[in-house]
């Protein structure tokens, strides 16, 4: 597991949720994903391409997503409300933006794709090249899941060249 | 609770809020209202921001960086080229050095990282407005007129 790639996302999620919800958060379950990803509720996927490649999925069950949207909007929001989706997109942008700031300042260069709604029940999975980790952040509004899967593109390339050069 | 921040002529500071996320715009507008500000306009992309600036002539622009059609740094550069007096504050979750330096080189006055803390935004606006703004304890804009 390449924690140096994953840690910035965990730190960013923790800080962003604590700041936006004005609450204490705690890290719940963390485990490596071995099987295809199963969506828990409303999920937003952001892809990263460059020195580091991979994706992050922010996944929140409907009830929790509505509770978070209600807390952020300052008015009652139902599960079917468009505001829930907007809240999810904004949360994903904030978390990814803060994490890539850390990674960029460490010298990695990459491009972030705009967030997409991930509607498949399952299907995305990690592979030999991709570290996939699922973590749960507990907030007073409910649990927020992050599925992070990424690898070093640059290092892989260097390794390949080293092998070719032998 | 914030002291009301107004122009030195005691009129409300007028803001243009630029962000492709409706949610983010609402959030910032809510903060500006707490500071006693007035919304002069909103835009969801850089191109609209330029036309909205020409129309509304706001005192301060709060500009996101990553947006469709035209990104915030390019829009800020174009606004400042046409209006050297423009006060543009970049607001983005992506706060790495290159972005900040690029924005400042194009003439932006400051940078605020998202999630925006109201107390940080308040101080940055106060700094950017400089002597053109005064804070008034418990007063609404226009009270002193």
């Amino acid at each position: 597991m390449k924690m140096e790639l994953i840690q910035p996302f965990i730190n960013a999620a923790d800080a962003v949720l604590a700041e936006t919800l004005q609450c204490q958060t705690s890290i719940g379950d963390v485990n490596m994903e071995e099987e295809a990803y199963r969506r828990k509720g409303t999920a937003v996927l952001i892809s990263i391409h460059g020195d580091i490649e991979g994706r992050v999925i922010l996944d929140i069950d409907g009830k929790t997503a509505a509770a978070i949207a209600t807390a952020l909007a300052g008015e009652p929001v139902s599960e079917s409300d468009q505001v829930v989706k907007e809240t999810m997109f904004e949360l994903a942008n904030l978390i990814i933006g803060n994490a890539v700031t850390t990674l960029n300042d460490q010298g990695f260069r990459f491009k972030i794709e705009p967030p997409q709604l991930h509607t498949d029940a399952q299907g995305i999975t990690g592979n030999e090249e991709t570290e996939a980790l699922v973590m749960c952040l507990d907030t007073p509004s409910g649990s927020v899941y992050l599925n992070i899967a990424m690898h070093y593109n640059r290092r892989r390339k260097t390794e390949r060249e080293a092998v070719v050069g032998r | 609770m914030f002291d009301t921040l107004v122009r030195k002529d005691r009129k409300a500071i007028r803001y243009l809020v630029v962000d492709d996320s409706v949610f983010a715009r609402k959030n910032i507008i809510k903060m500006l209202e707490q500071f006693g500000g007035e919304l002069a306009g909103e835009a969801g992309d850089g191109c609209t921001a330029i036309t909205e600036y020409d129309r509304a002539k706001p005192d301060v622009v709060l500009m996101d960086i990553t947006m469709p059609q035209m990104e915030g740094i390019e829009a800020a550069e174009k606004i400042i080229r046409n209006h050297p007096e423009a006060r543009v504050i970049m607001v983005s979750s992506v706060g790495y050095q290159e972005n900040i330096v690029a924005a400042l080189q194009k003439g932006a006055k400051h940078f605020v990282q998202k999630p925006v803390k109201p107390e940080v935004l308040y101080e940055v606006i106060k700094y950017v407005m400089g002597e053109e703004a005064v804070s008034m304890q418990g007063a609404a804009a226009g009270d002193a007129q």
Side-chain angles (χ1 to χ4, degrees):
Chain A
M1 188 193 307
K2 292 175 177 55
M3 280 311 288
E4 68 270 28
L5 288 187
I6 290 167
Q7 194 65 46
F9 291 93
I10 297 173
N11 294 347
D14 195 22
V16 165
L17 287 168
E19 177 61 31
T20 52
L21 293 173
Q22 291 291 297
C23 68
Q24 291 243 319
T25 60
S26 59
I27 295 173
D29 293 340
V30 179
N31 49 62
M32 297 302 291
E33 182 187 60
E34 289 171 357
E35 296 176 355
Y37 177 68
R38 287 177 194 280
R39 184 165 58 85
K40 291 164 181 66
T42 307
V44 175
L45 181 147
I46 294 184
S47 301
I48 295 169
H49 303 286
D51 292 345
I52 299 167
E53 295 213 345
R55 48 90 173 149
V56 176
I57 300 171
L58 176 71
D59 190 358
I60 309 179
D61 72 67
K63 199 176 159 190
T64 303
I68 290 174
T70 297
L72 296 183
E75 56 192 52
V77 174
S78 71
E79 284 184 41
S80 58
D81 205 311
Q82 176 69 17
V83 176
V84 172
K85 212 189 294 176
E86 285 173 14
T87 305
M88 293 282 294
F89 274 71
E90 185 59 12
L91 271 181
N93 271 327
L94 291 175
I95 292 168
I96 303 301
N98 278 263
V100 301
T101 297
T102 305
L103 290 167
N104 197 285
D105 285 342
Q106 288 172 5
F108 295 108
R109 297 291 174 268
F110 40 75
K111 193 171 186 276
I112 309 158
E113 299 294 327
Q116 292 175 310
L117 202 61
H118 178 52
T119 51
D120 296 339
Q122 64 178 73
I124 297 176
T125 182
N127 56 41
E128 277 180 21
E129 290 240 318
T130 305
E131 305 292 334
L133 175 138
V134 182
M135 63 167 296
C136 168
L137 275 158
D138 295 322
T139 77
S141 301
S143 297
V144 173
Y145 294 89
L146 270 188
N147 180 299
I148 308 164
M150 56 189 61
H151 63 265
Y152 284 114
N153 206 22
R154 195 169 53 185
R155 182 176 288 180
R156 300 285 177 194
K157 193 179 167 195
T158 313
E159 285 168 0
R160 278 198 299 272
E161 283 168 357
V163 171
V164 170
R166 271 182 206 163
Chain B
M1 191 68 184
F2 296 92
D3 287 347
T4 303
L5 196 56
V6 294
R7 301 193 321 203
K8 66 179 179 189
D9 62 5
R10 302 296 192 265
K11 287 184 179 165
I13 297 173
R14 299 172 67 252
Y15 298 92
L16 171 61
V17 180
V18 187
D19 199 307
D20 58 328
S21 159
V22 179
F23 183 86
R25 291 206 302 269
K26 275 186 195 166
N27 193 29
I28 289 175
I29 291 166
K30 230 187 270 178
M31 290 181 203
L32 299 175
E33 284 168 355
Q34 285 180 54
F35 308 159
E38 182 185 307
L39 184 66
E42 287 182 59
D45 61 78
C47 293
T48 313
I50 293 168
T51 52
E52 272 298 281
Y53 189 95
D54 290 340
R55 181 195 65 77
K57 300 282 188 309
D59 297 302
V60 176
V61 181
L62 297 166
M63 178 86 78
D64 185 21
I65 291 183
T66 310
M67 290 186 292
Q69 292 186 56
M70 187 191 290
E71 295 218 338
I73 293 177
E74 190 184 346
E77 183 185 17
K78 289 188 172 163
I79 288 172
I80 293 161
R81 194 188 301 149
N82 295 334
H83 307 275
E85 74 286 3
R87 300 181 190 93
V88 181
I89 299 170
M90 308 307 293
V91 182
S92 176
S93 59
V94 182
Y96 46 79
Q97 293 293 325
E98 287 165 22
N99 257 5
I100 298 173
V101 170
L104 296 177
Q105 281 175 342
K106 306 289 183 194
K109 302 286 186 208
H110 221 293
F111 179 90
V112 176
Q113 185 157 15
K114 290 182 184 174
V116 178
K117 293 180 181 171
E119 62 274 20
V120 171
L121 183 62
Y122 183 87
E123 288 304 324
V124 168
I125 292 169
K126 211 168 153 183
Y127 172 80
V128 165
M129 286 294 290
E131 291 179 356
E132 296 302 310
V134 286
S135 50
M136 299 168 67
Q137 202 171 9
D143 280 0
Q145 283 184 307

